[in-house]
Amino acid sequence: PFAATCLVCAAVVGLMMGNAFLPVGSLGQAQQQQRRVVATGFSWAENLHFDGQGNLFVSDFRKGHLVRVWWDAATQSYAQEIHLQQGFHRFLGIASTPGDPWVYVVAQQAASSEYVVVKTMATQPERFEVVAYLKGMGNGLAMHDGFLYTAMEGDFLPGEGRVFRIDPWNGNVTLLNGALWSADGVYILQVDAQPVLLVSQLLDARLWAFDVSTNQSLGRIAEVQHHTWMDDFCAVQVKNLHAAGNRPTLQVYGAGFLRGEVVTFQTPLPPPESNTSRPVMSVVADGFKSPTSVRPGTGKGFRSTSLYVSEGGGLFASDSDRSIIELVDILKERESFDVDNQPPL
């Protein structure tokens, strides 16, 4: 997955002149689909986030950039710019609330090397401020009802992974769970009107759930059989599908960092009798360079029926061959999504 292909290089060059497309199956044979390069030039694109207002934010961990991507109607192509870098070394998790002009991102301060949460105005990059100080490198970031949630991998030892709740108004940081292993991605999903925080463990592809309304753990809900180093992920509740006991079923899409895959599996919430479900992953697409994050599109210019994948793994800041790749309409046959404001192909 770390090796670049001539087809990707050609697509990147094509992107400079407009919209680049990857031929069907050019990055892998797991599933025949169309792929599109949305943005490029990254060394380690760690997380991606749609603010719902036509912006895609990407954190480049290695270069120390927060990049904004948007659909430019005038040129009929995607545009990108460095949104924030001043005073920071690294950027990681990104989150926002629909309709809110502020976007929150985990960053490392250049002067002190402390990890902080920064809020920045989506339309005015010069407006930003630190709202909280963290006790370590917060990787994923999610937001619900005014609170932020982040996961820290720790030292990759059992019990070192931690999950925190952050109040951006007063800077308070509260430990929710301090007994995970390599906690990485976080995602908040409304499940039967109940807000649920999902947390992935990178090294063993396990998924944990927390009730956001009570901050109580719902336990380990999935232990996936296909070992892939599941980095960040997203999930939807499968409509009209409940497991025994009328438990809702989740469809999870994950970035398989180790094998260069986008994977998917189903799991009930909570698992039966507090036992962890052991679903088998299937590979949606492969051939990526160390994929780190996957999200469905939201907002003008991005398809809600597509999955957008960020690539990481660059060893040096000078590396610039990682991209954001759209799996065009990959979700159409899998789920029912609203489709609007789709850019032309």
Side-chain angles (χ1 to χ4, degrees):
F2 291 91
T5 65
C6 293
L7 287 169
V8 174
C9 295
V12 170
V13 173
L15 181 63
M16 298 177 184
M17 300 180 289
N19 289 303
F21 284 88
L22 304 178
V24 171
S26 64
L27 289 183
Q29 301 300 327
Q31 181 169 319
Q32 297 293 299
Q33 78 280 116
Q34 190 176 45
R35 309 183 187 202
R36 182 188 214 185
V37 176
V38 173
T40 192
F42 302 97
S43 174
W44 193 310
E46 176 61 23
N47 284 284
L48 56 83
H49 172 74
F50 295 92
D51 69 353
Q53 302 179 71
N55 299 305
L56 165 60
F57 287 92
V58 184
S59 58
D60 193 319
F61 176 80
R62 191 68 72 197
K63 290 180 180 290
H65 296 164
L66 178 65
V67 177
R68 183 173 73 95
V69 182
W70 70 97
W71 176 257
D72 188 338
T75 62
Q76 291 293 289
S77 64
Y78 287 106
Q80 66 185 82
E81 66 179 8
I82 297 175
H83 182 80
L84 187 63
Q85 69 177 120
Q86 178 182 349
F88 302 101
H89 276 320
R90 297 170 174 173
F91 290 95
L92 291 135
I94 316 166
S96 66
T97 296
D100 189 338
W102 292 102
V103 174
Y104 298 83
V105 59
V106 175
Q108 184 184 36
Q109 290 185 317
S112 66
S113 295
E114 286 185 284
Y115 282 95
V116 297
V117 177
V118 181
K119 75 173 184 178
T120 175
M121 185 74 74
T123 56
Q124 301 177 45
E126 69 278 3
R127 293 186 61 184
F128 65 89
E129 64 178 286
V130 173
V131 297
Y133 290 82
L134 303 178
K135 298 177 181 179
M137 186 177 71
N139 201 334
L141 194 67
M143 193 169 194
H144 175 76
D145 199 24
F147 290 96
L148 293 160
Y149 299 83
T150 191
M152 298 182 187
E153 294 171 343
D155 295 324
F156 291 100
L157 298 173
E160 291 288 327
R162 295 169 289 172
V163 181
F164 292 90
R165 186 182 72 169
I166 303 160
D167 187 338
W169 295 101
N170 58 27
N172 287 344
V173 179
T174 305
L175 179 67
L176 294 187
N177 189 292
L180 302 184
W181 182 28
S182 63
D184 196 291
V186 295
Y187 194 81
I188 292 180
L189 180 68
Q190 293 283 343
V191 181
D192 287 349
Q194 175 190 16
V196 175
L197 171 68
L198 302 173
V199 181
S200 65
Q201 292 189 163
L202 174 67
L203 296 183
D204 58 3
R206 293 177 178 176
L207 197 65
W208 292 76
F210 299 86
D211 185 337
V212 173
S213 60
T214 63
N215 294 326
Q216 297 298 310
S217 173
L218 299 175
R220 190 175 66 199
I221 65 171
E223 182 176 328
V224 186
Q225 300 299 298
H226 179 83
H227 187 66
T228 186
W229 278 25
M230 191 171 71
D231 203 322
D232 201 14
F233 65 96
C234 60
V236 296
Q237 181 177 351
V238 181
K239 297 179 180 179
N240 303 317
L241 178 59
H242 286 69
N246 202 34
R247 300 186 316 282
T249 298
L250 306 184
Q251 186 80 43
V252 180
Y253 298 92
F257 182 89
L258 186 62
R259 297 183 178 180
E261 303 165 335
V262 173
V263 298
T264 189
F265 62 90
Q266 287 186 354
T267 184
L269 180 73
E273 299 177 357
S274 299
N275 292 323
T276 304
S277 67
R278 289 175 169 79
V280 176
M281 277 185 180
S282 61
V283 178
V284 175
D286 62 3
F288 298 96
K289 299 188 187 89
S290 306
T292 53
S293 186
V294 56
R295 289 287 189 273
T298 62
K300 185 177 181 180
F302 301 99
R303 291 176 175 80
S304 58
T305 53
S306 293
L307 284 177
Y308 295 78
V309 185
S310 59
E311 294 183 316
L315 298 179
F316 306 101
S318 57
D319 294 336
S320 298
D321 61 345
R322 268 57 177 179
S323 302
I324 308 301
I325 297 172
E326 176 189 3
L327 297 176
V328 179
D329 289 337
I330 195 70
L331 298 174
K332 253 185 180 178
E333 297 180 359
R334 293 176 173 268
E335 308 293 340
S336 297
F337 287 84
D338 295 328
V339 182
D340 59 358
N341 294 319
Q342 310 293 18
L345 286 176

